[in-house]
Amino acid sequence: MTAHIDTPSSFAGAPPTQAVVRHTAIFLPLFAPFGISSGYVSVTLAFLLGRAGLSALEITTIIAATIWVQTWKILWAPIVDTVGNPKLWYGLGAVGVGGTILAMSVLPATAQQVPLITVLAVISSAASTLVSMSSEIFLAQCVPAPTQGRASGWSQAGNLGGAGLGGGLGLLLAEHVSQAWVSGGVLAIICVACWGCLYFVPAAMRTHSAPSYFDELKGVATDVWEVARSRVGYLALILMVLPIASGAAPWSAIAGEWNAGADLVAWVNGVAGGLAAAAGAMVGGYLCDRMSPGRAYCVFGMGAGAVAVVMAWSARTPTSFVVFTMAYSAVVGCGYAAYSAIVLQAIGQRSAATNFNLMSALANVPIAVMTSFDGWVHDRFGTNAMLYGELALPAATIAAFVVFTWLTRPREPAGTVRT
């Protein structure tokens, strides 16, 4: 009997026995500082600046600057892959995130301080990329294939839960503790403590050894090309740009239709939503170890759309708003875990930071597309049409992807006899 399966490129072997992470839950704290950085800026800092009288444009400009850093991180990912020790890169990132958050918490939230706050927010975002890149190296090199789904789930739970900490806990302390620095200080301590968790992670291997640094960078480029031209690699790249489980629904903009007040919206879109997404990520990671990550990703994308459609049929009450937005967040969290599992399956072990962040950069495209699509449909056809679109567009692109996969499937040699 003959069979064909899609496998990663030849360099994607199993991790050596001595370099295995046996407790995948360690990736929850390892990815937390990455989420804390974005959560603090987008929730805590944004709230404090808004209360100080800054315009929405000024606040969103700061947030946008931090997002642009995440878009361009592919430029320095090869350095993390080829220079130094990933554990030290992680420490630099964790301390950088904690230190900049502490500094931002000390500065008065006033218009005069906006330039300095913006610089600190950008540095914090850049530092967070060192946290994620080094953690991704450990994900790729130290997690056996049978548990990569669970590891992906824990990593995304750390990312999403960290955002809840940075936004929820940060804002709570900023509002209820008289000393402004306490909020940033607590988050800084958490970030440094996460660095300590690397004690339980084996050392990562250098994937290149070349006479010159230029030759090492050429090796990274070769690794990236090998991934991109392999079947599992280019299918993963295509999946990354499809609007699947993007989590782009503008709940705050339509909350009034469900009679949801500002406090409820803040809670659901903040800490509660982050916790729901983190829980979903853990469930999604578990499921990815029991089915194809690509198939799981499509299922989760359809699931998020189905939640939106049922919400369109629901009674317009605050309770319905909470139930469906939380369910949506949980399913999107499942999708985040599947995304990480797909990337791990595709890239293998070599040049993990560069390959992972190439996929990450592409994954931002459908979020932007789906955000614009939702807004256009809402303004032209109404809320229900927008919610239907949350299912219709992913379903259409998934169907096209399935057709493409079937048309490009490897053909068996002529004369092969199945038995």
Side-chain angles (χ1 to χ4, degrees):
M1 182 169 63
T2 62
H4 177 85
I5 59 172
D6 292 330
T7 58
S9 49
S10 59
F11 55 78
T17 302
Q18 68 273 18
V20 168
V21 171
R22 302 190 183 279
H23 302 290
T24 54
I26 195 67
F27 288 103
L28 188 152
L30 289 183
F31 275 84
F34 179 77
I36 288 173
S37 175
S38 63
Y40 183 84
V41 172
S42 62
V43 179
T44 302
L45 184 62
F47 178 86
L48 296 176
L49 291 174
R51 190 174 61 182
L54 272 73
S55 68
L57 177 60
E58 290 173 307
I59 295 170
T60 55
T61 298
I62 297 174
I63 297 173
T66 66
I67 295 173
W68 276 111
V69 173
Q70 300 297 323
T71 302
W72 292 102
K73 61 187 177 181
I74 186 65
L75 296 178
W76 55 90
I79 299 175
V80 178
D81 267 327
T82 55
V83 175
N85 184 331
K87 291 192 175 185
L88 293 179
W89 280 118
Y90 185 97
L92 179 62
V95 171
V97 170
T100 50
I101 289 177
L102 177 59
M104 284 186 282
S105 70
V106 172
L107 287 173
T110 62
Q112 291 75 19
Q113 298 295 336
V114 163
L116 181 54
I117 289 174
T118 302
V119 170
L120 289 170
V122 168
I123 294 174
S124 180
S125 184
S128 76
T129 68
L130 302 182
V131 169
S132 62
M133 289 175 188
S134 50
S135 297
E136 287 154 3
I137 291 174
F138 296 117
L139 264 178
Q141 291 193 8
C142 304
V143 178
T147 59
Q148 284 184 343
R150 272 168 283 179
S152 297
W154 284 112
S155 69
Q156 291 298 336
N159 172 21
L160 298 166
L165 274 178
L169 180 61
L171 183 55
L172 181 68
L173 292 173
E175 283 290 278
H176 297 285
V177 179
S178 58
Q179 290 80 12
W181 61 267
V182 171
S183 172
V186 169
L187 294 176
I189 291 172
I190 292 174
C191 290
V192 174
C194 291
W195 183 18
C197 293
L198 282 179
Y199 175 80
F200 303 100
V201 178
M205 301 174 297
R206 288 288 295 276
T207 58
H208 290 283
S209 180
S212 70
Y213 184 60
F214 178 74
D215 290 329
E216 290 189 355
L217 290 179
K218 284 174 61 179
V220 171
T222 299
D223 289 343
V224 172
W225 173 241
E226 286 186 8
V227 169
R229 71 187 181 92
S230 68
R231 177 171 168 80
V232 70
Y234 69 69
L235 289 179
L237 287 167
I238 293 171
L239 272 177
M240 291 302 100
V241 299
L242 299 183
I244 301 173
S246 300
W251 300 127
S252 298
I254 63 174
E257 297 183 37
W258 276 261
N259 300 307
D263 291 341
L264 182 60
V265 173
W267 175 251
V268 170
N269 287 351
V271 176
L275 292 176
M282 288 185 281
V283 173
Y286 179 84
L287 293 175
C288 285
D289 282 335
R290 282 153 181 77
M291 62 190 298
S292 161
R295 184 174 301 165
Y297 190 52
C298 294
V299 169
F300 299 147
M302 295 291 287
V307 170
V309 168
V310 176
M311 184 176 182
W313 301 338
S314 72
R316 297 306 206 247
T317 65
T319 300
S320 293
F321 182 81
V322 171
V323 169
F324 288 107
T325 54
M326 294 285 283
Y328 182 88
S329 294
V331 181
V332 168
C334 290
Y336 273 56
Y339 147 76
S340 290
I342 290 169
V343 174
L344 286 175
Q345 184 185 68
I347 68 175
Q349 294 183 353
R350 300 180 68 180
S351 303
T354 305
N355 275 308
F356 218 111
N357 285 278
L358 172 62
M359 299 275 190
S360 176
L362 290 175
N364 285 318
V365 173
I367 296 175
V369 169
M370 201 66 193
T371 300
S372 298
F373 174 80
D374 280 345
W376 178 79
V377 173
H378 177 272
D379 289 351
R380 189 173 181 85
F381 302 106
T383 297
N384 279 4
M386 182 196 76
L387 294 174
Y388 295 152
E390 280 279 319
L391 176 60
L393 186 58
T397 55
I398 288 171
F401 177 75
V402 170
V403 172
F404 175 81
T405 302
W406 183 82
L407 291 175
T408 60
R409 71 194 188 283
R411 300 297 195 271
E412 292 183 345
T416 299
V417 178
R418 290 183 177 273
T419 60

